[in-house]
Amino acid sequence: MHDLVISMLQQRGVSLSDMAVLVLEMQQKYVPLNYDIALEHVKKVLEKREVQNAILTGIAIDQAAEADLIDEPLLSILKNDDALYGIDEILALSITNIYGTIGLTNFGYLDKAKPGILAELNSKTSGKVNTFLDDIVAAIIAAACSRIAHSYESNA
Ligand code: MG
């Protein structure tokens, strides 16, 4: 399952390294960190069953919308990533919730700033539907950041 979700993310244009670089960028000002440690935390987040389930669900919905397999009016809502459609964020919260409030704060920041891979996923030029995926990827990054914060706290 761990390998499956990694390859599903990859097929949707998101690599482990896309996520690890953002984790590093966000956390290196707070804790001593390098790319390999950041990558390790991203992988650990992806081992959680709740996270895997959110990835499977979100990507399935994006792909169904992309293939026009969903009825209107939901199809257009998904394809346009309608601002008032909040179910994608709600699903992503099932990832950040695992790591408490810090996860939520980081998710909020990523959702607004959209650095790196998140900007790519959000550009609607590709013809792809990433309505769920952008929030899921932000949540994975946020969760990895929280995991790092927690691990340093317990060592202090
Ligand atoms: Mg979204």
Side-chain angles (χ1 to χ4, degrees):
M1 189 80 147
H2 188 238
D3 293 339
L4 173 68
V5 295
I6 290 172
S7 82
M8 282 177 76
L9 287 168
Q10 215 122 40
Q11 278 168 26
R12 300 297 294 176
V14 181
S15 67
L16 289 175
S17 123
D18 289 331
M19 296 184 279
V21 291
L22 289 182
V23 171
L24 181 59
E25 211 175 285
M26 285 176 73
Q27 289 300 300
Q28 63 186 357
K29 46 185 179 285
Y30 306 116
V31 294
L33 198 62
N34 61 39
Y35 174 82
D36 290 330
I37 298 174
L39 182 65
E40 217 33 61
H41 283 276
V42 170
K43 286 182 181 166
K44 284 284 176 199
V45 168
L46 295 174
E47 281 174 15
K48 289 261 181 195
R49 185 49 80 101
E50 299 97 313
V51 176
Q52 295 169 346
N53 286 337
I55 294 169
L56 291 178
T57 306
I59 290 180
I61 297 171
D62 281 349
Q63 285 179 321
E66 217 168 87
D68 290 332
L69 294 173
I70 291 171
D71 290 337
E72 293 292 2
L74 183 57
L75 181 62
S76 295
I77 292 172
L78 291 172
K79 282 188 158 179
N80 300 328
D81 200 358
D82 192 304
L84 292 178
Y85 180 78
I87 318 294
D88 43 350
E89 277 101 9
I90 298 294
L91 180 70
L93 292 185
S94 69
I95 295 176
T96 52
N97 280 349
I98 305 171
Y99 297 95
T101 8
I102 311 173
L104 199 60
T105 311
N106 287 328
F107 179 74
Y109 164 76
L110 289 163
D111 193 38
K112 269 216 150 39
K114 298 197 195 311
I117 182 69
L118 297 173
E120 271 173 58
L121 291 175
N122 237 285
S123 70
K124 291 170 182 94
T125 46
S126 58
K128 286 205 162 195
V129 177
N130 290 323
T131 295
F132 276 82
L133 185 62
D134 61 345
D135 296 288
I136 285 170
V137 171
I140 295 167
I141 295 164
C145 290
S146 315
R147 210 174 177 278
I148 290 167
H150 284 301
S151 71
Y152 276 90
E153 199 156 288
S154 53
N155 289 337

